[in-house]
């Protein structure tokens, strides 16, 4: 049966015209969400601080004015605090009326901490009144975190910046909150890496995991073996690597902002670049001796790093005790060793484990980093960030000596044209900040294996995510305004949805869901719940909503029916098709035509630039909204998409400004209105 005939049969079965708006509370919630989105203020409040602090008390209506002389009393010589004062034209003067006082103490009541090598106590108490700021902290790093909070509180003022009077007590629930760049595959410029450290430190991200070596290229300069970074040893971004001087500079820069750099020299896997350069495997006597020399240079280059990551994953270990030998060498050189778990040697006798995939299980007695579902290269822009933020960290509400925290990993296997494309298509800032927010705040109702990626239409989890979204979008408009961020508001977007079997007729009632991006079945459907996890291939889902516009207007739309992972070699859609399953979209009764694909019907190998397959790789689609009610209807068959390894039964649809930069907030989404189907 053709897709068109299937559609006609399913439309007859649906008879969704009978669904009327019966739930006034739902409509109230929609209007409230739209109102909140539309009233995003342009100057910072303590309610915009991200991550959300543990305790905030307003302290009156008087404000601490910046742009004036300030008496700074700081025994820690906090450089981010000095940066903050310079940015807001505050001259340090001993006799100034306004005072900022730093007090180091042995304890901040109401906070907690646990031991993790290389990571000090970050708790702080911040009191702001009209002419006095007092920061109490246990360590200098706590002073830095308070300075980052002040930085956020000052955002958005066009003139005469100021700080709200408040008392804040804050500390992280999980001590390690980080992100990883796979610069071995996809080179990221040195200046870009520095900028990311500075910007992410604002959000209390405190770890940069620097994956320096890969099959495509070796990016870490080794004085003893210059052939490692020779053009001939690389197959992507040839000749681009980081000198040891740059590595030292970046680590020092990170230390300035309270960000720890963890370098990774991956061994013995992902080592084709090593083999091209050296002429033999790492798992030889020569290779082991060379790796020991490389580790000595790495340890000397990163003097502040408490850990050296030696990888160890995705490679059969043939050299006896290989990972044990490398771990012992790291320890002999005065550092601690991290390995990926699982690894094919079943080796876990390192100093820290970084957990990946469902097979990554906690190793008792050492710190563990949760990275199991934080592989952003496989994720869409909207639904997966919900899952990241909702999920707790490895089933825990709070960190411990066994659960150190989380790292958000950007494994950008597939070649993209620019580093801005890497950041945009992997939803870098939203994912990293969402994950770090959860780790700082703690909590999370349940782990993603149970909670999944669905944004509820109401309730505590919906309110929590909406609050995070509001805070994030405020900072997107300010300190992140120049960054390539595809994420826009989505908590005001609501859908009706029904799944129909082709043979047995309708077998589910209408469901109502929220969000700009929704998984019907997730990429990892056996482990990450979505909506129709029990639906067999052959079913078809229909998704609809009505959109009220107060005027005739041309708008943008971010639309996607298959998210192309940045780690696959999948076929692009055929010309005239939205995806490889035959999905269709009607806008106001007319078929919405897909883009003109750059690689129609072609397999896109990893060394060919991805084109416009994802909405993040193309301009926003332009659509016309009539004044009054408009309607969108999607038909989404659940079938194996030929040429696609990671089959994603999903959709993305949200109406934005013409540039696709921000969601339109003067419109209303109502899935309860009658739906008109067109054959």
């Amino acid at each position: 049966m053709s897709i068109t005939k299937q559609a006609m049969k399913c439309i007859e079965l649906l008879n969704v015209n009978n669904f009327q708006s019966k739930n006034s509370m739902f409509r109230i919630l929609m209007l409230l969400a739209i109102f909140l989105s539309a009233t995003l203020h342009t100057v910072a409040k303590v309610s915009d601080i991200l991550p959300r602090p543990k305790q905030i008390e307003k302290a009156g209506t008087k404000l601490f004015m910046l742009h004036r002389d300030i008496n700074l009393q700081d025994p820690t010589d906090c450089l981010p605090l000095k940066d903050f004062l310079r940015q807001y034209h505050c001259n340090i003067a001993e006799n100034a009326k306004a005072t900022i006082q730093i007090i180091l103490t042995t304890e901040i009541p109401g906070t907690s901490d646990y031991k993790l090598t290389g990571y000090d106590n970050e708790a702080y108490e911040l009191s702001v009144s009209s002419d006095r700021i007092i920061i109490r902290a246990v360590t200098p790093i706590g002073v830095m975190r308070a300075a980052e909070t002040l930085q956020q509180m000052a955002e958005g003022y066009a003139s005469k910046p100021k700080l709200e009077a408040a008392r804040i007590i804050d500390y992280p629930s999980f001590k390690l909150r980080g992100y990883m760049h796979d610069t071995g595959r996809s080179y990221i410029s040195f200046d870009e890496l520095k900028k990311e450290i500075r910007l992410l430190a604002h959000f209390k991200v405190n770890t940069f995991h620097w994956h320096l070596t890969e099959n495509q290229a070796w990016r870490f300069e080794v004085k003893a073996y210059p052939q490692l970074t020779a053009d001939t040893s690389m197959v992507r971004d040839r000749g681009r690597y980081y000198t040891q001087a740059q590595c030292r500079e970046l680590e020092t820069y990170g230390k300035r902002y309270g960000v720890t750099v963890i370098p990774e020299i991956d061994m013995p896997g992902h080592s084709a670049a090593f083999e091209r350069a050296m002429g033999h495997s790492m798992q030889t006597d020569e290779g082991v001796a060379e790796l020991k020399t490389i580790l000595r240079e790495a340890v000397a280059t990163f003097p502040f790093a408490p850990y050296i990551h030696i990888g160890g994953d995705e490679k059969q270990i043939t050299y006896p005790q290989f990972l044990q030998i490398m771990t012992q060498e790291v320890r002999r050189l005065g550092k601690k060793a991290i390995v990926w778990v699982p690894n094919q040697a079943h080796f876990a006798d390192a100093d820290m484990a970084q957990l990946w995939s469902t097979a990554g299980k906690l190793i008792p007695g050492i710190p563990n980093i949760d990275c199991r579902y934080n592989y952003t290269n496989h994720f869409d822009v909207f639904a997966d960030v919900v899952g990241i933020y909702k999920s707790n960290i490895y089933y825990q509400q709070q960190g411990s000596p066994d659960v150190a925290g989380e790292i958000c990993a950007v494994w950008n296997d597939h070649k993209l044209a620019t580093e801005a494309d890497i950041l945009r298509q992997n939803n870098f800032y939203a994912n990293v900040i969402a994950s770090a927010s959860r780790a700082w705040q703690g909590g999370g109702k349940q782990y993603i294996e149970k909670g999944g990626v669905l944004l509820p239409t109401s309730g505590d989890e919906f309110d929590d995510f909406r609050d995070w979204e509001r805070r994030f979008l405020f900072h997107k408009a300010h300190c992140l305004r120049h960054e390539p961020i595809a994420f826009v508001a989505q908590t005001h977007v609501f859908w009706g949805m029904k799944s129909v079997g082709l043979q047995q007729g309708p077998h589910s009632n209408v469901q109502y869901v929220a969000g700009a991006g929704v998984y019907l079945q997730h990429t990892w459907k056996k482990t990450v719940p979505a909506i129709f996890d029990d639906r067999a291939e052959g079913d078809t889902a229909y998704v609809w909503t009505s959109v009220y516009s107060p005027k005739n207007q041309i708008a943008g739309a971010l639309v996607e029916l298959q998210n192309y992972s940045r780690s696959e070699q999948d076929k692009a859609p055929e010309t005239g098709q939205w995806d490889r399953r035959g999905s269709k979209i009607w806008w106001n009764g007319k078929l919405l035509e897909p883009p003109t694909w750059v690689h129609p019907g072609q397999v896109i190998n990893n060394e060919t630039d991805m084109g416009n397959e994802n909405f993040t790789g193309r301009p926003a689609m332009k659509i016309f909204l009539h004044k009054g009610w408009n309607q969108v209807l999607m038909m989404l068959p659940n079938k194996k998409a030929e040429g696609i390894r990671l089959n994603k039964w999903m959709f993305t649809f949200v109406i934005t400004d013409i540039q696709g930069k921000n969601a339109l907030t003067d419109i209303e989404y109502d899935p309860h209105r009658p739906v008109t189907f067109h054959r």
Side-chain angles (χ1 to χ4, degrees):
M1 186 183 293
S2 69
I3 291 294
T4 302
K5 289 181 179 178
Q6 292 176 15
M8 293 172 67
K9 182 173 182 179
C10 291
I11 288 168
E12 290 171 0
L13 293 170
L14 276 172
N15 191 25
V16 292
N17 284 319
N18 293 327
F19 294 107
Q20 301 294 327
S21 181
K22 298 177 181 178
N23 190 340
S24 59
M25 180 56 70
F26 183 87
R27 186 176 177 84
I28 291 169
L29 288 171
M30 285 196 300
L31 293 171
L32 178 60
I34 294 166
F35 173 76
L36 290 173
S37 297
T39 55
L40 287 173
H41 42 266
T42 58
V43 295
K45 306 291 184 186
V46 293
S47 59
D48 293 312
I49 298 169
L50 188 64
R52 187 175 64 244
K54 295 290 199 302
Q55 297 180 42
I56 299 179
E57 298 173 7
K58 291 288 188 72
T61 58
K62 292 186 177 180
L63 303 173
F64 184 97
M65 304 299 296
L66 299 170
H67 277 214
R68 58 171 169 166
D69 290 348
I70 290 178
N71 178 4
L72 177 61
Q73 303 168 19
D74 181 10
T76 71
D77 194 31
C78 178
L79 295 177
L81 183 57
K82 288 183 175 179
D83 287 348
F84 166 71
L85 294 176
R86 278 193 294 270
Q87 179 182 351
Y88 289 101
H89 306 289
C90 298
N91 300 313
I92 298 175
E94 288 187 8
N95 297 323
K97 177 182 178 182
T99 301
I100 298 179
Q101 183 181 13
I102 311 301
I103 301 171
L104 291 180
T105 182
T106 58
E107 181 186 11
I108 304 293
T111 69
S112 65
D113 189 41
Y114 58 94
K115 296 287 187 182
L116 180 63
T117 298
Y119 291 82
D120 289 337
N121 189 319
E122 297 172 277
Y124 68 90
E125 179 182 354
L126 173 63
S127 298
V128 180
S129 57
S130 59
D131 289 312
R132 190 173 182 82
I133 295 174
I134 300 175
I135 297 171
R136 291 183 173 87
V138 178
T139 69
I141 200 73
V143 180
M144 288 189 189
R145 302 298 175 245
E148 290 153 7
T149 297
L150 290 173
Q151 178 75 43
Q152 289 194 18
M153 291 171 66
E155 283 185 38
Y157 292 89
S159 61
K160 294 184 179 180
K162 51 192 75 75
L163 306 170
E164 282 190 309
R167 178 173 177 263
I168 297 170
I169 296 176
D170 206 7
Y171 63 96
S173 293
F174 292 84
K175 297 199 70 163
L176 194 154
R177 308 167 304 279
Y179 64 104
M180 186 218 75
H181 269 310
D182 175 11
T183 58
R185 285 184 175 95
S186 300
Y187 180 84
I188 303 288
S189 68
F190 179 68
D191 288 342
E192 173 63 31
L193 293 178
K194 288 183 71 173
K195 180 180 67 174
E196 289 171 10
I197 284 175
R198 174 173 53 81
L199 289 174
L200 289 170
H202 289 334
F203 303 94
K204 302 177 176 66
V205 174
N206 69 351
T207 302
F208 172 40
H209 172 185
W210 198 356
H211 188 79
L212 285 159
T213 65
E214 255 302 331
N215 291 324
Q216 287 85 346
W218 184 286
R219 307 288 184 196
F220 171 64
E221 179 191 30
V222 180
K223 302 285 189 181
Y225 309 117
Q227 63 267 41
L228 285 168
T229 49
D231 291 8
T232 52
S233 300
M234 302 182 182
V235 296
R236 186 187 297 176
D237 299 324
R238 292 176 182 271
R240 307 190 76 178
Y241 64 94
Y242 308 100
T243 66
Q244 291 187 7
Q246 286 178 315
C247 292
R248 289 190 188 94
E249 181 181 340
L250 192 75
E251 186 185 46
T252 301
Y253 189 79
K255 187 175 176 62
R256 174 190 180 102
Y257 289 99
V259 176
T260 296
V261 176
I262 297 177
E264 180 180 358
I265 308 295
D266 201 353
M267 54 182 83
H270 303 270
S271 55
F274 176 94
E275 293 175 6
R276 285 191 296 271
M278 308 305 288
H280 51 257
S281 167
M282 289 180 171
Q283 296 193 79
T284 60
D285 290 341
E286 298 93 338
V288 168
E290 289 155 358
L291 286 172
K292 288 182 177 180
T293 298
I294 290 167
L295 284 173
R296 284 197 294 274
E297 291 200 24
V299 167
T301 301
F302 294 96
F304 303 126
Y307 303 92
I308 301 292
H309 203 312
I310 61 171
D313 63 315
E314 296 189 315
K315 182 75 172 182
Q316 184 177 356
I317 305 298
T318 57
Y319 191 93
Q321 305 295 302
F322 180 88
L323 289 177
Q324 288 90 333
I325 292 168
M326 292 297 107
T327 297
Q328 289 166 9
E329 182 66 14
V330 170
R331 290 170 178 161
R332 191 186 70 79
L333 294 167
K335 302 289 188 181
K336 292 183 178 293
I338 305 177
V339 296
W340 290 101
V341 172
N343 55 70
Q344 293 187 19
H346 306 292
F347 174 74
D349 190 26
D351 302 296
M352 182 180 279
Q354 187 163 355
L355 310 181
W356 71 285
S357 86
T358 55
K361 306 299 184 185
L362 182 138
I363 307 300
I366 63 173
N368 291 258
I369 303 169
D370 188 359
C371 200
R372 298 169 83 230
Y373 294 100
N374 273 10
Y375 277 38
T376 66
N377 47 301
H378 291 310
F379 286 173
D380 86 314
V381 169
F382 293 105
D384 282 300
V385 76
V386 172
I388 286 174
Y389 181 74
K390 284 200 313 177
S391 178
N392 56 38
I393 308 298
Y394 198 79
Y395 311 99
Q396 305 298 313
Q397 301 287 302
Q398 187 168 316
S400 69
D402 280 355
V403 183
E406 56 73 36
I407 283 177
C408 215
V410 186
W411 294 108
N412 192 81
D413 299 71
H414 205 119
K415 191 169 181 289
L416 292 171
T418 68
E419 61 190 13
D421 286 308
I422 293 172
L423 302 180
R424 183 183 301 105
Q425 295 214 26
N426 291 291
N427 204 26
F428 174 74
Y429 280 102
N431 285 332
V432 171
I433 293 171
S435 192
S437 297
R438 176 54 63 206
W440 181 277
Q441 293 163 198
K445 187 175 180 181
Q446 50 196 347
Y447 197 53
I448 194 170
E449 291 174 342
K450 286 188 175 293
V453 295
L454 181 63
L455 176 64
T457 56
S458 61
D460 292 344
E461 284 188 307
F462 175 81
D463 293 340
D464 188 19
F465 183 81
R466 182 173 59 189
D467 181 63
W468 178 86
E469 174 182 277
R470 178 187 58 77
R471 293 170 191 252
F472 177 76
L473 291 176
F474 175 82
H475 296 290
K476 176 187 173 182
H478 293 97
C479 69
L480 299 174
R481 64 188 178 279
H482 299 303
E483 303 313 304
I485 296 173
F487 183 85
V488 302
Q490 63 166 334
T491 51
H492 63 302
V493 182
F494 297 92
W495 303 94
M497 182 178 299
K498 189 176 181 73
S499 176
V500 176
L502 295 177
Q503 302 302 324
Q504 67 273 38
H507 57 60
S508 67
N509 294 322
V510 171
Q511 299 186 46
Y512 294 102
V513 297
V518 178
Y519 279 103
L520 285 67
Q521 284 182 352
H522 196 267
T523 309
W524 300 307
K525 62 183 177 182
K526 293 182 180 179
T527 51
V528 178
I531 296 177
F532 297 134
D533 296 314
D534 60 340
R535 295 294 181 262
E537 287 188 14
D539 288 7
T540 296
Y542 285 84
V543 181
W544 65 87
T545 196
S546 295
V547 182
Y548 182 81
S549 174
K551 60 185 178 182
N552 290 330
Q553 57 180 318
I554 298 174
L558 307 181
V559 186
E560 185 173 275
L561 300 185
Q562 163 74 34
N563 178 263
Y564 279 76
S565 168
R566 277 68 61 196
S567 292
E568 300 299 314
Q569 302 186 56
D570 291 334
K571 272 189 178 181
E574 301 293 338
T575 298
Q577 297 293 318
W578 274 101
D579 59 17
R580 301 195 65 79
R581 289 186 299 273
S583 300
K584 295 184 183 297
I585 308 173
W586 290 269
W587 175 254
N588 285 332
K590 295 183 179 179
L591 280 171
L592 195 62
E593 295 296 327
T596 300
W597 305 114
V598 173
H599 305 291
Q602 299 175 35
V603 174
I604 313 166
N605 67 52
N606 277 357
E607 297 309 316
T608 299
D609 287 353
M610 288 184 74
N612 61 350
E613 293 78 27
N614 291 324
F615 84 81
T616 48
R618 58 182 184 258
M621 174 170 282
K622 290 182 174 59
I623 61 173
F624 182 77
L625 280 78
H626 298 288
K627 181 179 180 180
W629 289 103
N630 301 261
Q631 187 180 97
V632 58
L633 169 69
M634 288 180 266
M635 181 194 75
L636 307 174
N638 182 21
K639 58 179 287 189
K640 178 62 179 174
E642 181 266 333
I644 302 289
R645 188 179 79 89
L646 296 180
N647 200 37
K648 302 180 181 182
W649 195 22
M650 60 163 293
F651 70 89
T652 294
F653 194 104
V654 60
I655 298 171
T656 67
D657 55 29
I658 292 176
Q659 294 77 25
K661 184 74 172 176
N662 298 293
L664 288 191
T665 55
D666 63 344
I667 61 176
E668 175 188 349
Y669 294 78
D670 186 355
H672 291 88
R673 295 181 61 80
V675 181
T676 302
F677 287 89
H678 299 268
R679 300 186 180 186

